[in-house]
């Protein structure tokens, strides 16, 4: 029984990660309420999930806020166009959906939406992991999304699939909304980070230096 309550035991590490995931999910939602802050909130969220994957000690609120402040300007500059373009493409798809006999009209919009979501997937984790200019961050986001196209497609399909579920049946709004409030946003970031850590080379960094902390370093990519 004493082993169960040992902080290094598998059970306690699991429970700690679950608690941290729920807490960072709540913090992320609160900090994202103004909408224009979602970009910086994503940086804070990925800062936490990367640390969790690394097995580092996590101080959820402190680490989240520090990353939120550090990347606020760059993240907001990236996020606002993503938000506007995503909203525009979503409206376009809704409009084009009325042309049942011409589904091919939606293809250009889906391609552009894929491009925007690809930047969303890579840009904010890059900001949370590496110190770089805004221009290089965007360039690296595009290069990584294209260089790892199968992984990018897989993640994008999951993200866009949620939109399609909501469009198919509005009952899913309640279901997905409830999951998001509890742990959904944190879990999606944690799941995405499984792939991004390999792409960013963070797994390799962890394995080559297990004596030192391998918290995602703010190095140039």
């Amino acid at each position: 029984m004493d082993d169960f309550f040992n902080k290094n035991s598998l059970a306690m590490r699991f429970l700690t990660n679950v608690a941290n995931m729920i807490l960072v999910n709540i913090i992320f939602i609160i900090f994202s309420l103004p909408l224009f802050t979602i970009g910086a909130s994503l940086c804070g969220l990925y800062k936490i999930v990367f640390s969790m994957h690394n097995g580092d000690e996590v101080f959820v609120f402190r680490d989240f806020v520090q990353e939120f402040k550090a990347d606020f300007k760059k993240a907001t500059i990236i996020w606002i166009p993503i938000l506007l373009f995503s909203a525009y493409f979503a409206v376009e798809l809704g409009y084009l959906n009325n042309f049942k006999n011409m589904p091919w009209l939606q293809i250009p919009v889906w391609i552009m939406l894929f491009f925007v979501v690809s930047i969303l997937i890579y840009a904010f984790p890059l900001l949370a992991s590496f110190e770089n200019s805004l221009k290089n961050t965007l360039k690296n986001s595009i290069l990584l999304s294209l260089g790892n196209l199968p992984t990018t497609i897989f993640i994008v399909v999951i993200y866009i699939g949620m939109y399609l579920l909501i469009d198919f049946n509005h009952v899913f709004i309640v279901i997905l909304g409830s999951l998001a409030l509890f742990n959904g946003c944190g879990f999606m970031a944690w799941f995405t980070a499984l792939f991004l850590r390999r792409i960013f080379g963070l797994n390799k960094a962890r394995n080559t230096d297990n004596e030192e902390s391998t918290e995602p370093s703010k190095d140039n990519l």
Side-chain angles (χ1 to χ4, degrees), residues 17-18 20-22 24-26 28 45-46 49 52-53 158-159 162 179-180 182-195:
N17 283 337
V18 170
N20 286 339
M21 192 77 75
I22 294 173
V24 74
N25 191 76
I26 294 172
F28 170 78
L45 178 60
Y46 276 104
V49 296
M52 291 173 63
H53 276 297
I158 292 177
Y159 282 22
M162 293 183 180
L179 291 174
F182 178 68
N183 203 11
C185 300
F187 175 77
M188 286 303 300
W190 186 90
F191 175 76
T192 305
L194 285 173
F195 303 94

Side-chain angles (χ1 to χ4, degrees), residues 101-114:
N101 297 327
M102 294 183 288
W104 52 268
L105 289 175
Q106 297 185 19
I107 294 177
V109 182
W110 278 114
I111 293 175
M112 294 303 298
L113 185 59
F114 173 83

Side-chain angles (χ1 to χ4, degrees), residues 5-6 9 11 49 96 107 122 126 128 144 155-156 158 179 220:
F5 291 102
N6 188 317
S9 69
V49 296
L96 293 174
I107 294 177
Y122 289 92
L126 281 173
L144 288 173
I155 298 174
V156 169
I158 292 177
L179 291 174
N220 288 336

Side-chain angles (χ1 to χ4, degrees), residues 31 44 47 59-72 215 218:
F31 275 70
K47 171 72 173 182
F59 300 92
V60 176
F61 184 78
R62 186 199 68 183
D63 294 346
F64 182 99
V65 172
Q66 285 180 349
E67 194 67 29
F68 181 92
K69 292 180 178 179
D71 293 326
F72 180 82
E215 180 178 327
K218 291 276 189 171

Side-chain angles (χ1 to χ4, degrees), residues 79-98:
W79 167 248
I80 295 301
I82 287 178
L83 176 63
L84 295 177
F85 278 119
S86 298
Y88 172 76
F89 292 139
V91 172
E92 280 294 298
L93 288 173
Y95 173 73
L96 293 174
N97 192 47
N98 294 323

Side-chain angles (χ1 to χ4, degrees), residues 12-221:
M12 286 304 296
R13 290 201 304 269
F14 173 77
L15 292 175
T16 299
N17 283 337
V18 170
N20 286 339
M21 192 77 75
I22 294 173
L23 179 57
V24 74
N25 191 76
I26 294 172
I27 295 172
F28 170 78
I29 292 174
I30 293 174
F31 275 70
S32 298
L33 287 178
L35 294 185
F36 72 89
T37 60
I38 291 178
S41 295
L42 283 169
C43 291
L45 178 60
Y46 276 104
K47 171 72 173 182
I48 301 302
V49 296
F50 278 136
S51 296
M52 291 173 63
H53 276 297
N54 286 343
D56 298 330
E57 186 175 9
V58 179
F59 300 92
V60 176
F61 184 78
R62 186 199 68 183
D63 294 346
F64 182 99
V65 172
Q66 285 180 349
E67 194 67 29
F68 181 92
K69 292 180 178 179
D71 293 326
F72 180 82
K73 183 177 180 180
K74 291 179 182 178
T76 304
I77 292 174
I78 295 174
W79 167 248
I80 295 301
I82 287 178
L83 176 63
L84 295 177
F85 278 119
S86 298
Y88 172 76
F89 292 139
V91 172
E92 280 294 298
L93 288 173
Y95 173 73
L96 293 174
N97 192 47
N98 294 323
F99 298 89
K100 303 295 184 181
N101 297 327
M102 294 183 288
W104 52 268
L105 289 175
Q106 297 185 19
I107 294 177
V109 182
W110 278 114
I111 293 175
M112 294 303 298
L113 185 59
F114 173 83
F115 179 75
V116 171
V117 176
S118 296
I119 295 177
L120 171 68
I121 290 171
Y122 289 92
F124 302 108
L126 281 173
L127 283 176
S129 303
F130 303 97
E131 185 65 48
N132 218 331
S133 66
L134 183 61
K135 177 182 176 181
N136 285 338
T137 298
L138 288 172
K139 182 182 74 173
N140 289 333
S141 299
I142 296 171
L143 292 176
L144 288 173
S145 66
L146 295 176
N148 300 274
L149 194 57
T151 300
T152 303
I153 292 174
F154 176 69
I155 298 174
V156 169
V157 166
I158 292 177
Y159 282 22
I160 294 181
M162 293 183 180
Y163 164 79
L164 293 178
L165 281 176
I166 293 173
D167 186 61
F168 175 75
N169 190 329
H170 292 295
V171 172
F172 284 106
I173 295 178
V174 178
I175 298 174
L176 293 176
S178 300
L179 291 174
L181 285 173
F182 178 68
N183 203 11
C185 300
F187 175 77
M188 286 303 300
W190 186 90
F191 175 76
T192 305
L194 285 173
F195 303 94
L196 297 183
R197 290 179 73 247
R198 173 185 57 81
I199 293 171
F200 293 174
L202 297 178
N203 283 338
K204 182 178 179 181
R206 181 68 179 180
N207 293 332
T208 56
D209 192 4
N210 56 16
E211 295 297 326
E212 298 179 5
S213 173
T214 54
E215 180 178 327
S217 59
K218 291 276 189 171
D219 296 325
N220 288 336
L221 182 62

